[in-house]
């Protein structure tokens, strides 16, 4: 077998099947006698439902049922709710309204479900939806988070007139205030982060079925953590034992955190399938996704940095106002804004820090994790502030960073905001980036661009994120009687290349030919439990669980091999797929050991037959992928067009399983981060609350022509927090890309007198910023 294992750049096993159209996505499920559903959604951001007339729709051809909010409420089903209880500023309990699945009396955002129409065919369901007559009384709407907390602003909920759900604070306020009081310099800024949508390749979908014979619900859905979906549906919604809910997730065309586990359509399809006695299928239209899905990001951060006379950081303070939308249905809706808080100090040695985050309610979709889940927003704030501080204090931004980066010798280190950094070489990564980006030659390139009438800017930033948080993950490695194996994992592939990655780990640990390993994920009946895929956890957690199971197999295999080779168990060593008697050429392959394991006569007395083991990895703390990014941009001052010229990344993701797929992950993350800076934004009319960017006609995402070549290098420092030494890689690109791209733009604009600029850096906004700066010069 050709060398195949950890550290090898191997092509993905998934790709031939997917490229030939043999994938099995949620819309490829066609169950016998299935019906089709359409969700009728509110066209208003805030309105009272005066009446709903469904008579014409019910009489339409093929219509099987139309359900409204009262119908669903009468079922008595439960709902998820936040578990981590927080408080408001005055100490009273947090205000959180869970999503009602179908609105009853009042709608609270554009796109909220108001009725479910089910028919024999999708076309019939769509036609019937047009016949449902809803009389709305429009109410004042609030879609701007900053405006929503102003005195006299319209209340999203009458019970919460100030629109503040709750707040959380971390750090030492007293020590931080003292640091600012003793500072020589204080630099303060306000940064806005836009609201956006994940825009995955495959819109969400659901097929719900009720298995009468076994009295259980079966859900086919493109979710990222099937077992957690099962737990939520069984424990919180249907209030059944877990074995009576079966969740099946096959191929997923992208998730990025947004394909979570508490969408109304999951519950609606299962509920209606039981009522109708037949499967019910719903697929989100591309033009429907921004209406139907959870959104991401959107916050305003006021952040300030205290420095001494030499530029050493003394303290950091931040106040974050996060627009979480109309509903808080679970902790998931709060993970990003509150998870970001501890990342605000970045890679810097800051002795004292204090941060507050406020959850602000508006007439918008709820927010949820999106690639990076708060860490890109946090690193964006601190890295922009460091560049702005350097400009304000007339210091070199690289030297300012160099003065304050955490040294490897200082770790392990608990930061002032509570992260426990275990390892990393931040300055080395920055130096590698500076060299690769040819920072020394930038002034010549800038002068050359100026002669062509263009503006040039450059940035070098340092980024860090937490990944693979505390928790457990399970995997099973199961050999069959023929000596081939199946690996079953609790994580869920959404396009990252998990099948290839897990086979590489098994090839390294057990010497298995990847062609003889079957990969299984996404089925709650195949594995007892799994936490799924989010937060760059699959390699760290799932890979480590596979290692645990593999080690158990080696230990059992050593006993069998010793018996087969007539040697003492202590004399048996295992390497490259073979058990060998030390000091001899006597050996037996693990495949033959596996075959023997199913023949009791060939086993040592008292040893249980079979060759399959489960492994559960329990992480007690986060890992911290980190790196440095450099971005160089060119701006046409006559049009405001921003062009990415060069992009360099030096990342530390710990052990690299597959360098080729790692680069793919970083490419994708950088594109998403750059996309948010350059063009992506969900836009509402601030007076009516109407969604103005519901399709690709109005919501821009980057194309290949918007990107540039990327140079990607690794600076791995292995962590000891898992047996692989891996830190996670899925979100590394986006965490650094947002500040890198914006700081490069800000660098170019600052030379023309633009003092402050917020995303998105569309051509029109950049052009106006330049015109305003020149008018006031």
């Amino acid at each position: 077998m050709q060398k195949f294992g950890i550290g090898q750049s191997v092509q993905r096993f998934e790709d031939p099947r997917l490229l030939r159209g043999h994938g099995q996505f949620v819309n490829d499920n066609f169950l016998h006698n299935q019906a089709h559903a359409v969700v009728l959604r509110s066209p208003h951001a805030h309105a009272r439902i005066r009446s709903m007339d469904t008579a014409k729709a019910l009489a339409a051809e093929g219509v099987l049922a139309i359900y409204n909010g009262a119908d669903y409420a009468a079922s008595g089903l439960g709902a998820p709710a936040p578990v981590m209880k927080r408080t408001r500023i005055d100490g009273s309990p947090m205000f959180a309204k869970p999503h009602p699945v179908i609105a009853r009396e009042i709608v609270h955002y554009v796109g909220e479900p108001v009725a479910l129409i089910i028919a024999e065919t999708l076309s019939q369901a769509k036609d019937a939806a047009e016949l449902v007559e809803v009389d709305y009384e429009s109410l004042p709407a609030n879609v701007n988070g900053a405006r929503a907390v102003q005195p006299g602003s319209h209340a999203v909920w009458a019970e919460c007139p100030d629109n503040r759900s709750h707040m959380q604070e971390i750090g030492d306020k007293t020590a931080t205030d003292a640091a600012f009081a003793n500072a020589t310099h204080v630099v303060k800024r306000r940064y806005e982060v836009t609201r956006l949508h994940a825009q995955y390749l495959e819109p969400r979908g659901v097929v719900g079925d009720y298995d009468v014979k076994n009295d259980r619900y079966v859900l086919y859905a493109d979710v990222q953590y099937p077992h957690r979906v099962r737990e939520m549906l069984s424990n919180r919604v249907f209030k059944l034992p877990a074995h009576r809910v079966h969740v099946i997730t096959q191929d997923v065309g992208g998730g990025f955190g947004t394909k979570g586990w508490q969408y109304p359509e999951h519950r609606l399809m299962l509920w209606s399938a039981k009522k109708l006695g037949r499967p019910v299928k719903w697929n989100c239209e591309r033009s429907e996704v921004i209406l139907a899905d959870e959104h991401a990001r959107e916050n305003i951060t006021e952040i300030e940095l205290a420095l001494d006379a030499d530029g050493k950081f003394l303290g950091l303070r931040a106040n974050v106002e996060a627009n979480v939308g109309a509903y808080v249905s679970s902790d998931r809706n709060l993970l990003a804004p509150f998870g970001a808080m501890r990342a605000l100090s970045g890679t810097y040695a800051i002795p004292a820090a204090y941060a507050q985050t406020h959850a602000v309610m508006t007439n918008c979709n709820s927010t949820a994790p999106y690639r990076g889940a708060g860490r890109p927003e946090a690193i964006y704030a601190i890295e922009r502030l460091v560049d702005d501080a350097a400009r304000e204090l007339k210091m070199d931004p690289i030297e300012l960073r160099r003065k304050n980066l955490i040294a490897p010798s200082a770790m392990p280190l608990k930061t002032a905001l509570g992260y426990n950094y275990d390892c990393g070489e931040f300055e080395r990564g920055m130096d590698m980036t500076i060299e690769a980006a040819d920072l020394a030659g930038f002034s010549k390139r800038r002068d050359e661009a100026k002669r062509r009438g263009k503006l040039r800017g450059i940035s070098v930033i340092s980024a860090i994120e937490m990944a693979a948080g505390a928790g457990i993950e399970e995997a099973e490695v199961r050999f069959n009687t023929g000596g081939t194996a199946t690996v079953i994992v609790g994580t869920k592939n959404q396009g990252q290349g998990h099948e290839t990655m897990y086979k590489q780990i098994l090839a390294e640990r057990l010497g298995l030919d990847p062609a003889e390993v079957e990969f299984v994920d996404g089925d709650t009946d195949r594995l007892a439990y799994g936490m799924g895929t989010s937060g760059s956890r699959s390699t760290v957690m799932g890979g480590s669980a596979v290692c645990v199971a593999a080690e158990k197999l080696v230990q059992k295999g050593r006993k069998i091999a010793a018996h087969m080779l007539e040697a003492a168990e202590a004399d048996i060593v295992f390497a490259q797929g073979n058990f060998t008697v030390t000091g001899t050429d006597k050996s037996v392959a693990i495949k033959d050991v596996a075959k023997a394991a199913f023949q009791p006569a060939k086993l040592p007395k008292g040893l249980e037959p079979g060759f399959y083991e489960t492994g559960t990895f329990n992480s007690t703390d986060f890992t911290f992928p980190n790196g440095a990014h450099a971005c160089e941009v060119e701006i046409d001052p006559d049009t405001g067009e921003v062009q990415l010229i060069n992009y360099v990344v030096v990342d530390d993701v710990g052990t690299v399983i597959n360098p080729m797929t790692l680069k793919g992950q970083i490419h994708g993350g950088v594109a998403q981060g750059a996309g948010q800076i350059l063009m992506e934004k969900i836009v509402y009319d601030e007076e009516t609350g109407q969604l103005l960017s519901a399709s690709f006609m109005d919501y821009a995402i980057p194309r290949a022509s918007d990107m540039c070549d990327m140079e990607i290098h690794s600076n791995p420092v292995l962590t000891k927090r898992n047996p692989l030494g891996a830190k996670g890689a899925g979100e590394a690109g986006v965490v650094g890309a947002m500040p890198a791209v914006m700081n490069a733009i800000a660098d170019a604009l600052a030379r023309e007198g633009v003092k402050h600029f917020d995303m998105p850096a569309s051509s029109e906004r950049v052009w106006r910023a330049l015109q305003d700066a020149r008018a006031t010069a």
Side-chain angles (χ1 to χ4, degrees):
M1 182 181 71
Q2 184 180 0
K3 172 63 177 173
F4 180 95
I6 292 175
Q8 303 296 305
S9 285
V10 297
Q11 294 185 340
R12 304 193 325 171
F13 281 89
E14 300 91 329
D15 291 344
R17 172 176 61 85
L18 295 172
L19 291 170
R20 291 169 181 156
H22 298 152
Q24 183 70 21
F25 296 88
V26 69
N27 201 28
D28 294 321
N29 289 297
F30 295 94
L31 303 188
H32 175 67
N33 201 34
Q34 76 180 14
H36 295 265
V38 166
V39 177
L40 184 65
R41 301 184 183 278
S42 167
H44 299 277
H46 199 195
R48 191 180 310 279
I49 302 175
R50 287 174 170 155
S51 64
M52 181 183 298
D53 187 349
T54 61
K56 292 180 183 178
L58 278 167
E61 182 181 0
V63 174
L64 300 171
I66 297 177
Y67 301 119
N68 59 28
D71 297 324
Y72 185 84
S75 68
L77 298 180
V83 175
M84 298 174 65
K85 302 300 182 184
R86 299 185 175 94
T87 61
R88 286 163 49 84
I89 295 174
D90 62 4
S92 60
M94 68 183 289
F95 180 86
K97 283 285 186 178
H99 200 290
V101 182
I102 304 179
R104 295 183 63 184
E105 298 175 356
I106 297 177
V107 294
H108 288 90
Y109 65 92
V110 173
E112 183 166 5
V114 296
L116 179 69
I117 299 94
I118 303 174
E120 294 285 355
T121 70
L122 180 59
S123 295
Q124 290 170 338
K126 287 182 176 181
D127 290 343
E130 296 285 340
L131 300 175
V132 177
E133 298 178 1
V134 185
D135 182 15
Y136 293 99
E137 176 192 347
S138 184
L139 300 172
N142 247 319
V143 292
N144 183 306
R147 198 168 75 173
V149 295
Q150 297 301 313
S153 190
H154 303 301
V156 176
W157 298 94
E159 309 97 300
C160 185
D162 63 358
N163 292 321
R164 292 186 178 275
S165 167
H166 61 283
M167 62 84 71
Q168 185 178 3
E169 55 185 346
I170 59 172
D172 188 329
K173 186 176 187 303
T174 301
T176 305
D177 289 345
F180 275 83
N182 294 322
T184 304
H185 306 287
V186 172
V187 179
K188 184 176 183 179
R189 292 292 187 272
R190 178 183 186 273
Y191 303 119
E192 295 185 18
V193 173
T194 53
R195 174 174 286 250
L196 74 165
H197 182 271
Q199 298 293 8
Y200 20 65
L201 186 64
E202 176 203 22
R204 287 190 301 112
V206 181
V207 181
D209 193 13
Y210 183 72
D211 180 353
V212 176
K213 178 182 177 181
N214 295 300
D215 189 22
R216 72 194 306 227
Y217 292 94
V218 182
L219 179 76
Y220 297 82
D222 50 349
V223 296
Q224 295 181 215
Y225 15 90
H227 288 85
R228 282 194 275 174
V229 172
R230 180 190 68 182
E231 298 303 309
M232 184 275 292
L233 290 171
S234 61
N235 294 339
R236 303 302 298 268
V237 176
F238 296 107
K239 299 170 185 175
L240 298 168
H243 72 273
R244 288 178 57 189
V245 177
H246 182 195
V247 178
I248 302 169
T249 301
Q250 297 150 314
D251 289 317
V252 178
F256 308 119
T258 307
K259 286 185 177 174
W261 54 267
Q262 52 126 348
Y263 281 109
E265 294 84 7
H266 297 159
R267 286 164 265 173
L268 285 173
M269 298 314 124
L270 292 176
W271 170 71
S272 59
K274 184 175 182 180
K275 288 178 72 69
L276 292 174
R278 58 193 294 187
V280 181
K281 181 177 184 176
W282 171 81
N283 261 93
C284 192
E285 303 279 346
R286 173 59 70 182
S287 59
E288 188 184 7
V289 294
I290 298 182
L291 294 163
D293 294 354
E294 292 167 322
H295 296 169
R297 312 264 200 251
E298 195 179 356
N299 67 44
I300 297 172
T301 299
E302 291 185 348
I303 185 168
E304 53 187 329
L305 187 63
L307 306 91
D308 69 12
D310 294 325
K312 290 286 287 183
F313 299 164
L314 303 176
L316 180 79
R317 279 196 298 229
N319 185 80
V320 182
E321 300 273 359
N323 180 351
V324 299
Y327 294 104
V328 178
S329 298
S330 71
D331 294 324
R332 168 181 162 77
N333 298 129
L334 306 172
L335 284 177
F338 292 96
M341 299 174 71
R342 299 191 189 281
L344 281 166
S345 58
T347 57
Y348 303 108
I350 303 178
Y354 172 76
Q356 281 190 350
T357 294
H358 302 263
V360 178
M361 308 198 80
T362 62
N363 295 110
C364 301
N365 296 49
S366 299
T367 56
Y370 168 60
R371 200 169 193 170
R375 283 91 77 194
E377 298 96 301
I379 299 303
Y380 177 80
I382 183 61
E383 286 301 307
R384 286 213 65 186
L385 185 62
V386 172
D387 262 27
D388 280 341
R391 266 190 291 272
E392 185 170 315
L393 303 181
K394 295 181 173 51
M395 297 181 67
D396 179 88
I398 299 298
E399 291 311 309
L400 184 58
R401 285 178 170 83
R402 206 181 295 282
K403 281 177 180 285
N404 292 284
L405 286 171
I406 299 169
S409 60
M411 288 183 271
L413 172 75
K414 184 170 185 178
T415 72
L417 291 176
Y419 272 159
N420 293 304
Y421 294 166
D422 62 323
C423 62
E425 296 181 356
F426 307 146
E427 187 172 8
R428 181 172 185 271
M430 188 175 72
D431 288 340
M432 291 172 64
T433 304
I434 289 168
E435 181 179 358
D438 186 20
L439 186 63
F442 172 70
S443 60
K444 289 183 180 179
R445 298 194 296 275
R446 184 184 62 217
D447 292 343
E448 186 276 331
K450 188 175 182 180
R451 288 193 291 272
R452 292 185 286 108
K454 303 295 177 67
L455 310 175
R456 279 257 179 156
I458 197 167
S459 69
V460 176
I461 67 94
S462 179
I464 192 166
E465 62 143 338
M466 64 88 174
I472 64 171
E473 192 56 68
E474 184 181 353
E476 180 179 357
V477 179
R478 179 189 303 169
F479 279 83
N480 58 42
T481 56
T484 61
T486 298
V487 57
I488 310 168
V489 296
T491 58
K492 183 68 200 85
N493 184 37
Q494 306 136 49
Q496 301 97 324
H498 285 183
E499 178 178 351
T500 306
M501 178 266 290
Y502 284 120
K503 286 184 176 182
Q504 286 184 261
I505 293 173
L506 276 178
E508 186 78 22
R509 293 301 173 112
L510 296 180
L512 299 183
D513 183 339
E516 296 185 341
V517 177
E518 179 192 14
F519 171 75
V520 176
D521 70 353
D523 190 327
T524 59
D525 275 9
R526 297 291 297 272
L527 191 72
Y529 187 68
M531 291 287 286
T533 294
S534 62
S536 303
R537 70 187 305 277
S538 295
T539 300
V540 174
M541 302 295 293
S544 294
V546 168
C547 289
V548 172
E551 181 57 30
K552 290 180 180 179
L553 286 167
V554 169
Q555 295 303 323
K556 184 172 184 177
R558 188 175 281 113
K559 291 180 171 62
I560 299 172
H563 186 72
M564 295 173 69
L565 296 170
E566 298 179 336
E569 183 183 338
D571 292 333
I572 300 295
V573 294
F574 179 76
Q576 298 180 347
N578 294 295
F579 294 93
T580 303
V581 180
T582 303
T584 76
D585 60 357
K586 295 175 62 177
S587 69
V588 60
I590 192 170
K591 283 184 62 174
D592 295 323
V593 168
K595 293 176 184 177
F598 293 93
Q599 303 174 52
K602 293 186 177 182
L603 297 180
K605 186 176 181 179
L607 187 66
E608 180 184 10
F611 207 53
Y612 24 75
E613 295 287 352
T614 59
T616 302
F617 180 69
N618 178 28
S619 171
T620 57
D621 208 339
F622 299 107
T623 58
F624 291 94
N626 61 86
H629 294 224
C631 179
E632 190 168 336
V633 302
E634 189 169 278
I635 299 174
D636 185 338
D638 295 329
T639 64
E641 180 185 6
V642 177
Q643 182 181 1
L644 300 186
I645 301 297
N646 188 37
Y647 203 100
V648 174
V649 182
V650 175
D651 252 311
D652 169 15
V653 300
T655 298
V656 177
I657 306 297
N658 187 330
M660 182 171 64
T661 56
L662 170 63
K663 288 183 178 181
Q665 285 283 331
I666 293 173
H667 278 149
V670 169
Q672 286 178 294
Q676 178 163 13
I677 297 302
L678 295 174
M679 61 192 70
E680 292 191 53
K681 184 179 182 181
I682 291 175
V683 181
Y684 290 94
D685 183 289
E686 295 205 0
E687 297 306 317
T688 65
Q690 189 54 244
L691 179 63
L692 303 179
S693 56
S695 75
F696 286 145
M697 294 294 290
D698 305 294
Y699 186 100
I701 61 171
R703 303 179 182 184
S705 59
D706 295 307
M707 303 304 294
C708 64
D709 288 341
M710 297 181 207
E711 189 174 338
I712 298 171
H713 303 276
S714 288
N715 176 34
V717 180
L718 308 193
T719 180
K720 295 181 180 179
R721 289 180 174 173
N722 62 76
L724 284 170
K727 295 180 178 179
E731 293 154 309
V734 71
V735 171
M738 285 173 56
V741 176
M742 183 53 91
N743 277 0
I745 294 168
D747 178 56
L749 295 180
R751 298 175 192 276
E752 300 298 308
V754 177
K755 294 188 177 357
H756 183 76
F757 188 78
D758 273 318
M759 67 177 79
S762 62
S763 297
E764 187 264 348
R765 297 188 74 250
V766 170
W767 181 85
R768 287 195 181 279
L770 287 168
Q771 299 307 307
D772 291 344
R774 289 168 181 174
T776 57

